[in-house]
Amino acid sequence: MRQITLGSTGLTIEKNGFGCLPIQRVTREEAASLLRAAFDGGINFFDTARAYSDSEEKVGFAFAGMRRQIVLATKTGAQTADAFWKDLETSLRTLGTDYIDIYQFHNPAFCPKPGGADGLYDAALEARRQGKIRHISITNHRLAVAQEAIDSGLYATLQFPFSYLSGPQELSLVEGCARAGMGFIAMKALAGGLIRDGLTAAAYMDTVPNAVPIWGVQHRWELDQFLACVRETPALTAERRATIDKDRAELSGEFCRGCGYCMPCPQGIEINQCARMSLMLRRAPAAAWLTAEWQEKMAKIEECLHCGQCSGKCPYGLDTPKLLEENLKDFREVLSQQG
């Protein structure tokens, strides 16, 4: 096991955390089994969110009676102080706890600060004073907001997408958090499924001392892979370096990370999957993506209005309509070859 202190929080955690978004897709009993197995295997940091349907409820069920043995993070997408308090009280109830270790503003389009008209940060300060939260934190997909959060000195941790496919801008955020004494929580350490080798991803993450990846887990085989990393840190071997180099050559740059912040589309296009279909066809069994259902979804790209809403909301500044068109072309070429 490799334990680190999360920024300046004083919280000691296993360097590999558990991302609780995927457990909303399994039953309460299945989720509890995964969560408890993770804890038994050495993971003690669990990250969820009010927006993850019943994820909080499942976490609370799994860890009933053992709250103080885990470090718990959740999030609020509130835009007002009133909504903040409603979310916080709901989270405390569903998690079965009287305090939350890391309470995060969930991908706000701005950096909440004291005295803001929204009242969010002031509400968080009061919640901390009351002992309902221990540390005020933020998650984001926007480089500018993330950098502002670091520069502000107001936040205990930053959660941001980071993997070995990330560029120098993302790495700069990680380094900025280290200098500022902030914890850095790495979401999408598998780049939304584009990285296929979890052990290689974990070996790379171990080379970034202050980055805590939260691995999204839905199946036991996924958990077993990351528990192996807890028992023995995977070495960044020459073979794994070669895998990273190959993936970077193929994937770095102008590709859709699948974060979904471009959604919803006024035409009903499932942008966060359709805009990276070419990559998924190359990196996963193609048959799963060539079904009648996906043919129908991809065909909707032809209905794109080129309204620019998706591009305007993309945190990576991608030309999303162009990506959609290119992916539709690739999809149909692959489909014709399979036919």
Side-chain angles (χ1 to χ4, degrees), residues 268-298:
I269 302 169
E270 196 170 318
I271 302 171
N272 58 324
Q273 294 288 16
C274 294
R276 62 186 193 142
M277 180 59 72
S278 300
L279 296 175
M280 299 308 294
L281 288 171
R282 292 203 299 270
R283 302 183 65 78
W289 297 99
L290 297 175
T291 62
E293 178 185 3
W294 275 107
Q295 290 178 48
E296 182 178 347
K297 288 181 178 181
M298 291 298 291

PDB file of all heavy atoms in Angstrom, residues 268-298:
ATOM      1  N   GLY A 268     -30.893  15.977 -30.166  1.00  0.00           N
ATOM      2  CA  GLY A 268     -30.885  14.652 -29.552  1.00  0.00           C
ATOM      3  C   GLY A 268     -29.701  13.787 -29.912  1.00  0.00           C
ATOM      4  O   GLY A 268     -29.723  12.567 -29.701  1.00  0.00           O
ATOM      5  N   ILE A 269     -28.633  14.394 -30.440  1.00  0.00           N
ATOM      6  CA  ILE A 269     -27.425  13.629 -30.771  1.00  0.00           C
ATOM      7  C   ILE A 269     -26.679  13.298 -29.482  1.00  0.00           C
ATOM      8  O   ILE A 269     -26.479  14.181 -28.638  1.00  0.00           O
ATOM      9  CB  ILE A 269     -26.518  14.424 -31.721  1.00  0.00           C
ATOM     10  CG1 ILE A 269     -27.263  14.776 -33.008  1.00  0.00           C
ATOM     11  CG2 ILE A 269     -25.237  13.640 -32.052  1.00  0.00           C
ATOM     12  CD1 ILE A 269     -26.532  15.795 -33.880  1.00  0.00           C
ATOM     13  N   GLU A 270     -26.274  12.051 -29.321  1.00  0.00           N
ATOM     14  CA  GLU A 270     -25.521  11.625 -28.141  1.00  0.00           C
ATOM     15  C   GLU A 270     -24.045  11.979 -28.362  1.00  0.00           C
ATOM     16  O   GLU A 270     -23.199  11.119 -28.610  1.00  0.00           O
ATOM     17  CB  GLU A 270     -25.710  10.133 -27.898  1.00  0.00           C
ATOM     18  CG  GLU A 270     -25.303   9.689 -26.505  1.00  0.00           C
ATOM     19  CD  GLU A 270     -25.722   8.257 -26.208  1.00  0.00           C
ATOM     20  OE1 GLU A 270     -26.853   7.869 -26.576  1.00  0.00           O
ATOM     21  OE2 GLU A 270     -24.911   7.531 -25.593  1.00  0.00           O
ATOM     22  N   ILE A 271     -23.755  13.259 -28.258  1.00  0.00           N
ATOM     23  CA  ILE A 271     -22.458  13.800 -28.683  1.00  0.00           C
ATOM     24  C   ILE A 271     -21.291  13.126 -27.976  1.00  0.00           C
ATOM     25  O   ILE A 271     -20.278  12.801 -28.602  1.00  0.00           O
ATOM     26  CB  ILE A 271     -22.408  15.323 -28.449  1.00  0.00           C
ATOM     27  CG1 ILE A 271     -23.538  16.023 -29.216  1.00  0.00           C
ATOM     28  CG2 ILE A 271     -21.054  15.880 -28.886  1.00  0.00           C
ATOM     29  CD1 ILE A 271     -23.693  17.489 -28.865  1.00  0.00           C
ATOM     30  N   ASN A 272     -21.412  12.945 -26.662  1.00  0.00           N
ATOM     31  CA  ASN A 272     -20.264  12.467 -25.892  1.00  0.00           C
ATOM     32  C   ASN A 272     -19.826  11.056 -26.266  1.00  0.00           C
ATOM     33  O   ASN A 272     -18.723  10.646 -25.917  1.00  0.00           O
ATOM     34  CB  ASN A 272     -20.559  12.541 -24.388  1.00  0.00           C
ATOM     35  CG  ASN A 272     -21.790  11.743 -23.996  1.00  0.00           C
ATOM     36  OD1 ASN A 272     -22.756  11.677 -24.742  1.00  0.00           O
ATOM     37  ND2 ASN A 272     -21.753  11.139 -22.834  1.00  0.00           N
ATOM     38  N   GLN A 273     -20.647  10.314 -26.984  1.00  0.00           N
ATOM     39  CA  GLN A 273     -20.229   9.013 -27.511  1.00  0.00           C
ATOM     40  C   GLN A 273     -19.992   9.078 -29.020  1.00  0.00           C
ATOM     41  O   GLN A 273     -18.991   8.552 -29.523  1.00  0.00           O
ATOM     42  CB  GLN A 273     -21.280   7.942 -27.210  1.00  0.00           C
ATOM     43  CG  GLN A 273     -21.442   7.634 -25.731  1.00  0.00           C
ATOM     44  CD  GLN A 273     -20.262   6.858 -25.154  1.00  0.00           C
ATOM     45  OE1 GLN A 273     -19.190   6.769 -25.724  1.00  0.00           O
ATOM     46  NE2 GLN A 273     -20.478   6.288 -23.974  1.00  0.00           N
ATOM     47  N   CYS A 274     -20.872   9.755 -29.730  1.00  0.00           N
ATOM     48  CA  CYS A 274     -20.768   9.798 -31.185  1.00  0.00           C
ATOM     49  C   CYS A 274     -19.507  10.514 -31.661  1.00  0.00           C
ATOM     50  O   CYS A 274     -18.939  10.162 -32.697  1.00  0.00           O
ATOM     51  CB  CYS A 274     -22.001  10.482 -31.778  1.00  0.00           C
ATOM     52  SG  CYS A 274     -23.539   9.550 -31.539  1.00  0.00           S
ATOM     53  N   ALA A 275     -19.052  11.521 -30.898  1.00  0.00           N
ATOM     54  CA  ALA A 275     -17.896  12.308 -31.327  1.00  0.00           C
ATOM     55  C   ALA A 275     -16.574  11.600 -31.097  1.00  0.00           C
ATOM     56  O   ALA A 275     -15.517  12.118 -31.462  1.00  0.00           O
ATOM     57  CB  ALA A 275     -17.885  13.665 -30.623  1.00  0.00           C
ATOM     58  N   ARG A 276     -16.612  10.421 -30.492  1.00  0.00           N
ATOM     59  CA  ARG A 276     -15.375   9.649 -30.331  1.00  0.00           C
ATOM     60  C   ARG A 276     -15.539   8.198 -30.798  1.00  0.00           C
ATOM     61  O   ARG A 276     -14.806   7.312 -30.410  1.00  0.00           O
ATOM     62  CB  ARG A 276     -14.910   9.695 -28.879  1.00  0.00           C
ATOM     63  CG  ARG A 276     -15.860   9.097 -27.877  1.00  0.00           C
ATOM     64  CD  ARG A 276     -15.352   9.325 -26.476  1.00  0.00           C
ATOM     65  NE  ARG A 276     -16.075   8.499 -25.513  1.00  0.00           N
ATOM     66  CZ  ARG A 276     -15.500   7.922 -24.467  1.00  0.00           C
ATOM     67  NH1 ARG A 276     -14.214   8.070 -24.258  1.00  0.00           N
ATOM     68  NH2 ARG A 276     -16.205   7.201 -23.632  1.00  0.00           N
ATOM     69  N   MET A 277     -16.529   7.990 -31.654  1.00  0.00           N
ATOM     70  CA  MET A 277     -16.830   6.647 -32.144  1.00  0.00           C
ATOM     71  C   MET A 277     -15.644   6.023 -32.882  1.00  0.00           C
ATOM     72  O   MET A 277     -15.363   4.823 -32.728  1.00  0.00           O
ATOM     73  CB  MET A 277     -18.054   6.685 -33.054  1.00  0.00           C
ATOM     74  CG  MET A 277     -18.455   5.331 -33.617  1.00  0.00           C
ATOM     75  SD  MET A 277     -18.847   4.094 -32.348  1.00  0.00           S
ATOM     76  CE  MET A 277     -20.419   4.712 -31.738  1.00  0.00           C
ATOM     77  N   SER A 278     -14.930   6.819 -33.658  1.00  0.00           N
ATOM     78  CA  SER A 278     -13.787   6.287 -34.406  1.00  0.00           C
ATOM     79  C   SER A 278     -12.764   5.662 -33.475  1.00  0.00           C
ATOM     80  O   SER A 278     -12.208   4.585 -33.759  1.00  0.00           O
ATOM     81  CB  SER A 278     -13.117   7.390 -35.235  1.00  0.00           C
ATOM     82  OG  SER A 278     -14.008   7.942 -36.161  1.00  0.00           O
ATOM     83  N   LEU A 279     -12.507   6.325 -32.363  1.00  0.00           N
ATOM     84  CA  LEU A 279     -11.536   5.815 -31.392  1.00  0.00           C
ATOM     85  C   LEU A 279     -12.036   4.545 -30.735  1.00  0.00           C
ATOM     86  O   LEU A 279     -11.278   3.585 -30.544  1.00  0.00           O
ATOM     87  CB  LEU A 279     -11.247   6.875 -30.337  1.00  0.00           C
ATOM     88  CG  LEU A 279     -10.586   8.160 -30.835  1.00  0.00           C
ATOM     89  CD1 LEU A 279     -10.474   9.166 -29.702  1.00  0.00           C
ATOM     90  CD2 LEU A 279      -9.202   7.865 -31.394  1.00  0.00           C
ATOM     91  N   MET A 280     -13.319   4.516 -30.383  1.00  0.00           N
ATOM     92  CA  MET A 280     -13.859   3.339 -29.721  1.00  0.00           C
ATOM     93  C   MET A 280     -13.863   2.144 -30.655  1.00  0.00           C
ATOM     94  O   MET A 280     -13.618   1.009 -30.228  1.00  0.00           O
ATOM     95  CB  MET A 280     -15.278   3.616 -29.218  1.00  0.00           C
ATOM     96  CG  MET A 280     -15.368   4.754 -28.202  1.00  0.00           C
ATOM     97  SD  MET A 280     -14.217   4.608 -26.800  1.00  0.00           S
ATOM     98  CE  MET A 280     -14.842   3.149 -25.979  1.00  0.00           C
ATOM     99  N   LEU A 281     -14.094   2.363 -31.920  1.00  0.00           N
ATOM    100  CA  LEU A 281     -14.071   1.265 -32.887  1.00  0.00           C
ATOM    101  C   LEU A 281     -12.678   0.650 -33.010  1.00  0.00           C
ATOM    102  O   LEU A 281     -12.536  -0.548 -33.239  1.00  0.00           O
ATOM    103  CB  LEU A 281     -14.539   1.749 -34.262  1.00  0.00           C
ATOM    104  CG  LEU A 281     -16.036   2.039 -34.400  1.00  0.00           C
ATOM    105  CD1 LEU A 281     -16.322   2.713 -35.728  1.00  0.00           C
ATOM    106  CD2 LEU A 281     -16.853   0.751 -34.267  1.00  0.00           C
ATOM    107  N   ARG A 282     -11.661   1.491 -32.844  1.00  0.00           N
ATOM    108  CA  ARG A 282     -10.287   0.995 -32.951  1.00  0.00           C
ATOM    109  C   ARG A 282      -9.797   0.349 -31.666  1.00  0.00           C
ATOM    110  O   ARG A 282      -8.906  -0.501 -31.699  1.00  0.00           O
ATOM    111  CB  ARG A 282      -9.333   2.148 -33.315  1.00  0.00           C
ATOM    112  CG  ARG A 282      -9.528   2.701 -34.710  1.00  0.00           C
ATOM    113  CD  ARG A 282      -8.261   3.389 -35.197  1.00  0.00           C
ATOM    114  NE  ARG A 282      -7.867   4.520 -34.379  1.00  0.00           N
ATOM    115  CZ  ARG A 282      -8.267   5.775 -34.597  1.00  0.00           C
ATOM    116  NH1 ARG A 282      -9.097   6.031 -35.596  1.00  0.00           N
ATOM    117  NH2 ARG A 282      -7.849   6.762 -33.825  1.00  0.00           N
ATOM    118  N   ARG A 283     -10.400   0.733 -30.539  1.00  0.00           N
ATOM    119  CA  ARG A 283      -9.830   0.322 -29.261  1.00  0.00           C
ATOM    120  C   ARG A 283     -10.707  -0.659 -28.486  1.00  0.00           C
ATOM    121  O   ARG A 283     -10.358  -1.068 -27.385  1.00  0.00           O
ATOM    122  CB  ARG A 283      -9.553   1.554 -28.407  1.00  0.00           C
ATOM    123  CG  ARG A 283      -8.606   2.526 -29.086  1.00  0.00           C
ATOM    124  CD  ARG A 283      -8.273   3.703 -28.210  1.00  0.00           C
ATOM    125  NE  ARG A 283      -7.534   3.322 -27.021  1.00  0.00           N
ATOM    126  CZ  ARG A 283      -6.229   3.039 -27.015  1.00  0.00           C
ATOM    127  NH1 ARG A 283      -5.542   3.061 -28.137  1.00  0.00           N
ATOM    128  NH2 ARG A 283      -5.621   2.704 -25.887  1.00  0.00           N
ATOM    129  N   ALA A 284     -11.831  -1.040 -29.037  1.00  0.00           N
ATOM    130  CA  ALA A 284     -12.709  -2.007 -28.391  1.00  0.00           C
ATOM    131  C   ALA A 284     -13.313  -2.895 -29.477  1.00  0.00           C
ATOM    132  O   ALA A 284     -13.275  -2.533 -30.659  1.00  0.00           O
ATOM    133  CB  ALA A 284     -13.803  -1.279 -27.611  1.00  0.00           C
ATOM    134  N   PRO A 285     -13.861  -4.051 -29.103  1.00  0.00           N
ATOM    135  CA  PRO A 285     -14.503  -4.897 -30.115  1.00  0.00           C
ATOM    136  C   PRO A 285     -15.551  -4.118 -30.898  1.00  0.00           C
ATOM    137  O   PRO A 285     -16.493  -3.571 -30.328  1.00  0.00           O
ATOM    138  CB  PRO A 285     -15.129  -6.015 -29.270  1.00  0.00           C
ATOM    139  CG  PRO A 285     -14.265  -6.094 -28.054  1.00  0.00           C
ATOM    140  CD  PRO A 285     -13.868  -4.665 -27.766  1.00  0.00           C
ATOM    141  N   ALA A 286     -15.366  -4.047 -32.203  1.00  0.00           N
ATOM    142  CA  ALA A 286     -16.217  -3.187 -33.033  1.00  0.00           C
ATOM    143  C   ALA A 286     -17.680  -3.602 -33.018  1.00  0.00           C
ATOM    144  O   ALA A 286     -18.574  -2.759 -33.129  1.00  0.00           O
ATOM    145  CB  ALA A 286     -15.691  -3.182 -34.470  1.00  0.00           C
ATOM    146  N   ALA A 287     -17.943  -4.902 -32.889  1.00  0.00           N
ATOM    147  CA  ALA A 287     -19.319  -5.393 -32.981  1.00  0.00           C
ATOM    148  C   ALA A 287     -20.240  -4.712 -31.977  1.00  0.00           C
ATOM    149  O   ALA A 287     -21.414  -4.462 -32.253  1.00  0.00           O
ATOM    150  CB  ALA A 287     -19.342  -6.905 -32.775  1.00  0.00           C
ATOM    151  N   ALA A 288     -19.709  -4.376 -30.798  1.00  0.00           N
ATOM    152  CA  ALA A 288     -20.532  -3.755 -29.764  1.00  0.00           C
ATOM    153  C   ALA A 288     -20.995  -2.359 -30.160  1.00  0.00           C
ATOM    154  O   ALA A 288     -21.970  -1.844 -29.603  1.00  0.00           O
ATOM    155  CB  ALA A 288     -19.753  -3.692 -28.455  1.00  0.00           C
ATOM    156  N   TRP A 289     -20.285  -1.742 -31.117  1.00  0.00           N
ATOM    157  CA  TRP A 289     -20.615  -0.372 -31.532  1.00  0.00           C
ATOM    158  C   TRP A 289     -21.306  -0.312 -32.897  1.00  0.00           C
ATOM    159  O   TRP A 289     -21.658   0.772 -33.359  1.00  0.00           O
ATOM    160  CB  TRP A 289     -19.344   0.479 -31.586  1.00  0.00           C
ATOM    161  CG  TRP A 289     -18.687   0.612 -30.255  1.00  0.00           C
ATOM    162  CD1 TRP A 289     -17.622  -0.095 -29.780  1.00  0.00           C
ATOM    163  CD2 TRP A 289     -19.069   1.494 -29.199  1.00  0.00           C
ATOM    164  NE1 TRP A 289     -17.315   0.288 -28.499  1.00  0.00           N
ATOM    165  CE2 TRP A 289     -18.179   1.267 -28.117  1.00  0.00           C
ATOM    166  CE3 TRP A 289     -20.073   2.467 -29.055  1.00  0.00           C
ATOM    167  CZ2 TRP A 289     -18.272   1.969 -26.915  1.00  0.00           C
ATOM    168  CZ3 TRP A 289     -20.154   3.166 -27.862  1.00  0.00           C
ATOM    169  CH2 TRP A 289     -19.263   2.916 -26.818  1.00  0.00           C
ATOM    170  N   LEU A 290     -21.522  -1.448 -33.524  1.00  0.00           N
ATOM    171  CA  LEU A 290     -22.111  -1.468 -34.865  1.00  0.00           C
ATOM    172  C   LEU A 290     -23.541  -1.989 -34.859  1.00  0.00           C
ATOM    173  O   LEU A 290     -24.072  -2.366 -35.899  1.00  0.00           O
ATOM    174  CB  LEU A 290     -21.247  -2.325 -35.800  1.00  0.00           C
ATOM    175  CG  LEU A 290     -19.826  -1.815 -36.026  1.00  0.00           C
ATOM    176  CD1 LEU A 290     -19.025  -2.807 -36.871  1.00  0.00           C
ATOM    177  CD2 LEU A 290     -19.830  -0.443 -36.706  1.00  0.00           C
ATOM    178  N   THR A 291     -24.172  -1.983 -33.714  1.00  0.00           N
ATOM    179  CA  THR A 291     -25.536  -2.488 -33.588  1.00  0.00           C
ATOM    180  C   THR A 291     -26.534  -1.558 -34.277  1.00  0.00           C
ATOM    181  O   THR A 291     -26.215  -0.404 -34.617  1.00  0.00           O
ATOM    182  CB  THR A 291     -25.911  -2.610 -32.100  1.00  0.00           C
ATOM    183  OG1 THR A 291     -25.865  -1.291 -31.518  1.00  0.00           O
ATOM    184  CG2 THR A 291     -24.941  -3.529 -31.366  1.00  0.00           C
ATOM    185  N   ALA A 292     -27.747  -2.054 -34.436  1.00  0.00           N
ATOM    186  CA  ALA A 292     -28.799  -1.234 -35.037  1.00  0.00           C
ATOM    187  C   ALA A 292     -29.052   0.017 -34.203  1.00  0.00           C
ATOM    188  O   ALA A 292     -29.310   1.108 -34.743  1.00  0.00           O
ATOM    189  CB  ALA A 292     -30.081  -2.056 -35.163  1.00  0.00           C
ATOM    190  N   GLU A 293     -28.941  -0.136 -32.873  1.00  0.00           N
ATOM    191  CA  GLU A 293     -29.152   1.014 -31.994  1.00  0.00           C
ATOM    192  C   GLU A 293     -28.120   2.100 -32.262  1.00  0.00           C
ATOM    193  O   GLU A 293     -28.466   3.288 -32.362  1.00  0.00           O
ATOM    194  CB  GLU A 293     -29.058   0.567 -30.532  1.00  0.00           C
ATOM    195  CG  GLU A 293     -29.221   1.711 -29.539  1.00  0.00           C
ATOM    196  CD  GLU A 293     -28.999   1.271 -28.096  1.00  0.00           C
ATOM    197  OE1 GLU A 293     -28.658   0.087 -27.882  1.00  0.00           O
ATOM    198  OE2 GLU A 293     -29.161   2.110 -27.194  1.00  0.00           O
ATOM    199  N   TRP A 294     -26.837   1.711 -32.387  1.00  0.00           N
ATOM    200  CA  TRP A 294     -25.801   2.711 -32.621  1.00  0.00           C
ATOM    201  C   TRP A 294     -25.844   3.244 -34.046  1.00  0.00           C
ATOM    202  O   TRP A 294     -25.498   4.411 -34.283  1.00  0.00           O
ATOM    203  CB  TRP A 294     -24.424   2.147 -32.281  1.00  0.00           C
ATOM    204  CG  TRP A 294     -24.140   2.297 -30.826  1.00  0.00           C
ATOM    205  CD1 TRP A 294     -24.118   1.329 -29.875  1.00  0.00           C
ATOM    206  CD2 TRP A 294     -23.916   3.531 -30.143  1.00  0.00           C
ATOM    207  NE1 TRP A 294     -23.890   1.873 -28.638  1.00  0.00           N
ATOM    208  CE2 TRP A 294     -23.755   3.219 -28.768  1.00  0.00           C
ATOM    209  CE3 TRP A 294     -23.836   4.858 -30.541  1.00  0.00           C
ATOM    210  CZ2 TRP A 294     -23.515   4.199 -27.806  1.00  0.00           C
ATOM    211  CZ3 TRP A 294     -23.597   5.838 -29.579  1.00  0.00           C
ATOM    212  CH2 TRP A 294     -23.448   5.510 -28.235  1.00  0.00           C
ATOM    213  N   GLN A 295     -26.304   2.448 -34.990  1.00  0.00           N
ATOM    214  CA  GLN A 295     -26.471   2.970 -36.355  1.00  0.00           C
ATOM    215  C   GLN A 295     -27.505   4.088 -36.363  1.00  0.00           C
ATOM    216  O   GLN A 295     -27.332   5.118 -37.032  1.00  0.00           O
ATOM    217  CB  GLN A 295     -26.906   1.827 -37.287  1.00  0.00           C
ATOM    218  CG  GLN A 295     -25.815   0.805 -37.551  1.00  0.00           C
ATOM    219  CD  GLN A 295     -26.291  -0.326 -38.438  1.00  0.00           C
ATOM    220  OE1 GLN A 295     -26.897  -0.090 -39.474  1.00  0.00           O
ATOM    221  NE2 GLN A 295     -26.005  -1.558 -38.032  1.00  0.00           N
ATOM    222  N   GLU A 296     -28.564   3.905 -35.595  1.00  0.00           N
ATOM    223  CA  GLU A 296     -29.599   4.936 -35.501  1.00  0.00           C
ATOM    224  C   GLU A 296     -29.062   6.186 -34.810  1.00  0.00           C
ATOM    225  O   GLU A 296     -29.319   7.319 -35.250  1.00  0.00           O
ATOM    226  CB  GLU A 296     -30.796   4.386 -34.743  1.00  0.00           C
ATOM    227  CG  GLU A 296     -31.964   5.356 -34.633  1.00  0.00           C
ATOM    228  CD  GLU A 296     -33.155   4.754 -33.904  1.00  0.00           C
ATOM    229  OE1 GLU A 296     -33.180   3.527 -33.691  1.00  0.00           O
ATOM    230  OE2 GLU A 296     -34.063   5.532 -33.531  1.00  0.00           O
ATOM    231  N   LYS A 297     -28.301   5.991 -33.723  1.00  0.00           N
ATOM    232  CA  LYS A 297     -27.752   7.135 -33.004  1.00  0.00           C
ATOM    233  C   LYS A 297     -26.766   7.912 -33.865  1.00  0.00           C
ATOM    234  O   LYS A 297     -26.765   9.151 -33.862  1.00  0.00           O
ATOM    235  CB  LYS A 297     -27.074   6.667 -31.718  1.00  0.00           C
ATOM    236  CG  LYS A 297     -28.038   6.203 -30.641  1.00  0.00           C
ATOM    237  CD  LYS A 297     -27.288   5.788 -29.380  1.00  0.00           C
ATOM    238  CE  LYS A 297     -28.256   5.364 -28.285  1.00  0.00           C
ATOM    239  NZ  LYS A 297     -27.536   4.976 -27.038  1.00  0.00           N
ATOM    240  N   MET A 298     -25.911   7.210 -34.585  1.00  0.00           N
ATOM    241  CA  MET A 298     -24.928   7.886 -35.424  1.00  0.00           C
ATOM    242  C   MET A 298     -25.604   8.617 -36.586  1.00  0.00           C
ATOM    243  O   MET A 298     -25.153   9.691 -37.010  1.00  0.00           O
ATOM    244  CB  MET A 298     -23.903   6.886 -35.944  1.00  0.00           C
ATOM    245  CG  MET A 298     -22.972   6.314 -34.880  1.00  0.00           C
ATOM    246  SD  MET A 298     -21.941   7.560 -34.062  1.00  0.00           S
ATOM    247  CE  MET A 298     -20.832   8.026 -35.412  1.00  0.00           C
TER     248      MET A 298
END
